[in-house]
Amino acid sequence: MWRPEPVPWVAADDVPEDAYLLDVREDDEWRAGHAPGAHHVQMMEVPARLADVPTDADVVVVCRMGGRSAQVVTYLSKQGWDNVRNLDGGMEAWQSAGRPMVSEDGQPARVV
C-alpha cells in the first residue's frame, strides 16, 4: 500500500527562538493571531514567493492545525529545501503551549 512520505515536524515547545516561522494561513487567520516575528505568505502564494523562504536557516511552516503547512513542507522539500519542518498541531498547539501571540485587528490574539 502506498503511503505519503512522512513530513518532518517540530513541537511548539521545541521551535528554536531563531527559527524562520512561515505562516501560510489566510489573511483573516493571520490578523486574528500569529507568532511575533512570523512571516506571512498565504499557502497559494508560496510557489511565487520561493525566494522569500531561506535555505540557510531553520524554517518552521505554520497553519491552524498542521494540514496546510504539511503540504507546504512537502512542496518545499520537493523544490530542494532540506531545512523545513511542520509545526505539529499548528497555531492551536502554539497557543496551547503558551507561546507568545500578537494580533493585527486590535483584539486579543486568538486562533481562528
Side-chain angles (χ1 to χ4, degrees), residues 53-93:
V53 182
T55 57
D56 60 351
D58 284 333
V59 176
V60 177
V61 185
V62 182
C63 70
R64 184 169 53 93
M65 295 181 66
R68 288 172 285 177
S69 52
Q71 292 177 51
V72 172
V73 168
T74 298
Y75 174 78
L76 289 171
S77 295
K78 289 181 179 180
Q79 304 306 310
W81 271 256
D82 61 2
N83 58 324
V84 294
R85 293 182 285 170
N86 188 29
L87 178 61
D88 188 33
M91 283 303 296
E92 289 191 355

Side-chain angles (χ1 to χ4, degrees), residues 30-45:
W30 169 263
R31 283 190 301 271
H34 57 85
H39 304 269
H40 185 222
V41 178
Q42 291 181 30
M43 180 180 176
M44 299 310 290
E45 294 177 6

